Amino acid sequence: MRGPVRWVLWDVKDTLLKVRRSVGEQYCSEAERAGLKLPAAQVETAFRQAYRHQSRLFPNYGRAQGMSSQVWWTGLVRDTFAQCGVDDLALLDRLANNLYHKFCGPENWEVFPDSNSTLKFCTALGLNQGVVSNFDKRLEGILRGCGLLAHFSFLLTSEEAGVAKPDPAIFTQALVRCGVPASSVVHVGDHYVNDYLTSRSLGIQGYLLDRQDCHGHLDVPPQHRLQSLDELPARLKQDTD
C-alpha cells in the first residue's frame, strides 16, 4: 500500500533550473574574451561529441578512475575547443578553468518560474525535500546562488554518491537519508528512465515532468505526468490529507 507522502525528492537540471544560454553560446563568449571568434553551432556540436566521449570513457565525472569533477570538466572543455582548431595548451587550460568557475554560480543558470513557488508549497505542506541529481560538487553553490538551497534538507549528487542515475543505488542512498519507506517518498524529474522508471522501480512515487508534452511514453499514466510544477501541489495535497 502507498503510505502518506513525507518527502519530495527533486532532480535539478531541466526540472528546477536550466542553463541560461546554450553551451555553445556560453563557450563562445568565453572564447571571444580570449580573442577567439568561433561559430556557436560548431562549438555546440563539438561539446556534445566531447561530452559523449568523456562520459563513455569516464562515467560520472571519472569517480571510478579517481578523477575530480574539475579535472573531468577540464578535459571536456579542452577536447571541445581542440575540435574547433584551438591548439594553444595554455589557452585551453585558461578557458577550461574560467568556464568551470563561471558555472559554479547563478550567472549561467535560470530558475524556472514555477520552481520556487512549488518548493515553498511543499514546505508549507510539512514535507521534507531533498535533491537526487546527476551533478557535481558545484550544485550546492548554484542552488544557493539561485535562492533555492534553503528548501532542501539534503543534496545527493552523483559525484558524492559514487553512482549516477539510472543506477537505482543513488535512490537507495537517498531513501536512507529520508528514513521512511519508499512509498512515502515522491520524486520529480524530467528524464523518463533516470527519474521516472528508476524511482518507481524502488517503489518511490515518481512523477515525470514533461514541460513540452513531447515524451509520448504510453506507459506513463496521466496521473504520473506533469506539464508544469504548478500541477504538483494539488496532487501532493491529496496524498497528505
Side-chain angles (χ1 to χ4, degrees), residues 74 78 82 86-96:
T74 296
R78 283 175 178 163
V86 181
D87 56 8
D88 183 326
L89 295 181
L91 176 56
L92 288 171
D93 282 343
R94 188 164 80 250
L95 290 169

Side-chain angles (χ1 to χ4, degrees), residues 166-172 175 182 187 192-206:
D167 190 326
I170 191 171
F171 282 105
T172 301
L175 287 173
H187 176 71
Y192 171 67
V193 175
N194 289 358
D195 294 306
Y196 180 74
L197 289 185
T198 306
S199 65
R200 286 204 162 256
S201 73
L202 294 175
I204 295 169
Q205 300 178 45

Side-chain angles (χ1 to χ4, degrees), residues 45-190:
T45 299
F47 171 81
R48 293 182 183 278
Q49 183 175 331
Y51 187 91
R52 287 193 298 269
H53 179 72
Q54 191 84 334
S55 296
R56 187 169 57 251
L57 289 181
F58 310 109
N60 193 26
Y61 309 112
R63 270 293 307 272
Q65 293 85 6
M67 297 171 70
S68 69
S69 55
Q70 184 166 2
V71 168
W72 191 91
W73 280 109
T74 296
L76 173 59
V77 175
R78 283 175 178 163
D79 190 9
T80 298
F81 283 113
Q83 288 183 54
C84 299
V86 181
D87 56 8
D88 183 326
L89 295 181
L91 176 56
L92 288 171
D93 282 343
R94 188 164 80 250
L95 290 169
N97 183 67
N98 290 348
L99 284 164
Y100 179 84
H101 287 97
K102 284 186 176 176
F103 277 90
C104 286
E107 297 81 8
N108 289 328
W109 299 94
E110 180 179 345
V111 178
F112 286 108
D114 52 7
S115 295
N116 211 18
S117 58
T118 302
L119 292 168
K120 286 180 179 178
F121 191 93
C122 291
T123 299
L125 281 177
L127 300 172
N128 296 300
Q129 299 182 84
V131 162
V132 181
S133 179
N134 286 355
F135 219 104
D136 60 51
K137 64 183 180 181
R138 293 175 293 178
L139 183 58
E140 181 174 346
I142 291 167
L143 291 174
R144 180 183 294 109
C146 290
L148 301 181
L149 183 63
H151 293 295
F152 305 113
S153 299
F154 71 82
L155 309 180
L156 182 59
T157 65
S158 58
E159 182 176 15
E160 178 188 351
V163 288
K165 297 180 285 187
D167 190 326
I170 191 171
F171 282 105
T172 301
Q173 291 186 36
L175 287 173
V176 171
R177 297 193 184 195
C178 293
V180 299
S183 59
S184 295
V185 178
V186 161
H187 176 71
V188 183
D190 70 298

